[in-house]
Amino acid sequence: MKTKIMMIIVWLFVSTCHATPSLNELTLSLKLWLVDQQQTPRHFNANQGALFANESLNSGGEIHYKQQGEKCIAYAPHRFHDKHTHTIAKALYAHCQVFLSNTKHRNDRDEHGELIDFGKYKPSASNAFILAYSEHVESFSIYQIHGYAKEKRKTPEGKKADAIISNGHAIPSKRTIAITACLNEQLDITAMVYGLDVKELGGTTNILASLAPNNSQFFHIELSRQLRERLVSNNQLFKLFNQCLIS
């Protein structure tokens, strides 16, 4: 009997340790880390100033933060599925204070069977950091980088677009329109505004379309495979791309 009781206690302890922390719990721990980065938050390992989710946070996640730079977040939520988006977002981090990415595939599931798709998964390390960061700065931008294949698009406009820029809503913001115009002019590509030029890949079901804090601007940036390949192989084009987002 005693052995059975001990086994139950051990099982409960292990289950608690590996239970998915709530979004509020993660956010609070990351708020404290932003104030004192010598204290590594629970559920993370620190490596060269960055945080990487440990085994107790099985949804994964990678967080980079520096005090220098623009008040913005470069974010690659689908690094394994959307080729080169991790490289593109990481390069944008040279200008921004924050870089976020997934470390698990978007088709993986947590212990509750929920897909760990950081574009939709609410209790993610990325969302927690965004909420924590929103209380650390006055205002900021979120540049979430995605990828798509032109041949898989459903509309003629989508098949022609090199990039589709959105703020996650049907009505684009002035800044969304300005970024798109800059990309067309500076990169000589066909960039389209979701809601005006094209009716697909607008990120309207993205978790940040509703969760992004009021003091943030969310930009859902879809890049065709051809444009992603050009960006990672052409430093000047890459520089112009970053300038259009940041300026």
Side-chain angles (χ1 to χ4, degrees):
M1 176 64 74
K2 288 183 179 180
T3 302
K4 186 175 182 181
I5 292 172
M6 285 301 298
M7 288 177 66
I8 292 172
I9 292 172
V10 170
W11 180 83
L12 288 171
F13 176 76
V14 171
S15 298
T16 301
C17 289
H18 290 272
T20 300
S22 69
L23 181 62
N24 288 339
E25 180 187 344
L26 284 174
T27 301
L28 178 59
S29 67
L30 290 168
K31 283 182 188 177
L32 296 174
W33 181 73
L34 280 170
V35 175
D36 181 7
Q37 290 162 54
Q38 299 302 312
Q39 302 296 321
T40 302
R42 186 184 175 197
H43 306 296
F44 294 92
N45 296 322
N47 185 3
Q48 296 182 338
L51 297 178
F52 297 86
N54 60 33
E55 292 181 358
S56 67
L57 183 60
N58 67 8
S59 56
E62 175 181 345
I63 299 168
H64 298 251
Y65 168 75
K66 61 182 188 290
Q67 294 185 359
Q68 300 77 25
E70 300 289 334
K71 303 297 190 296
C72 57
I73 295 175
Y75 186 5
H78 301 145
R79 67 191 293 176
F80 305 114
H81 192 271
D82 296 351
K83 190 175 181 181
H84 300 310
T85 55
H86 185 273
T87 300
I88 292 168
K90 192 68 178 290
L92 186 59
Y93 175 54
H95 304 277
C96 293
Q97 288 188 328
V98 181
F99 168 65
L100 304 175
S101 184
N102 62 314
T103 54
K104 299 287 186 72
H105 197 282
R106 62 185 291 179
N107 292 329
D108 288 347
R109 295 180 182 271
D110 67 12
E111 67 268 33
H112 304 295
E114 186 175 354
L115 283 171
I116 307 171
D117 176 352
F118 271 27
K120 296 180 171 62
Y121 188 76
K122 187 174 182 178
S124 71
S126 291
N127 289 338
F129 185 86
I130 288 169
L131 295 176
Y133 184 69
S134 72
E135 298 188 22
H136 194 69
V137 296
E138 185 175 347
S139 62
F140 64 106
S141 299
I142 305 166
Y143 303 106
Q144 194 180 75
I145 310 297
H146 296 264
Y148 66 94
K150 287 185 177 184
E151 63 272 16
K152 294 183 179 180
R153 300 288 31 94
K154 299 176 182 178
T155 63
E157 294 82 7
K159 292 179 183 297
K160 291 188 296 184
D162 296 309
I164 298 173
I165 314 300
S166 168
N167 61 341
H169 300 282
I171 300 175
S173 64
K174 291 181 179 179
R175 181 70 186 133
T176 302
I177 296 171
I179 288 173
T180 308
C182 182
L183 292 173
N184 280 321
E185 180 179 346
Q186 296 298 320
L187 277 66
D188 191 25
I189 63 171
T190 302
M192 296 187 180
V193 178
Y194 175 77
L196 292 181
D197 309 315
V198 63
K199 303 297 184 183
E200 58 179 321
L201 293 182
T204 55
T205 62
N206 191 288
I207 186 65
L208 289 177
S210 58
L211 190 67
N214 290 334
N215 62 334
S216 70
Q217 293 186 81
F218 171 52
F219 301 102
H220 184 271
I221 301 168
E222 290 275 3
L223 306 176
S224 70
R225 182 180 62 252
Q226 295 88 339
L227 179 55
R228 281 175 277 143
E229 291 173 349
R230 288 180 63 197
L231 286 172
V232 298
S233 62
N234 185 323
N235 289 335
Q236 181 59 23
L237 198 71
F238 221 151
K239 181 179 178 181
L240 292 172
F241 173 80
N242 288 340
Q243 287 176 350
C244 283
L245 298 188
I246 301 298
S247 61

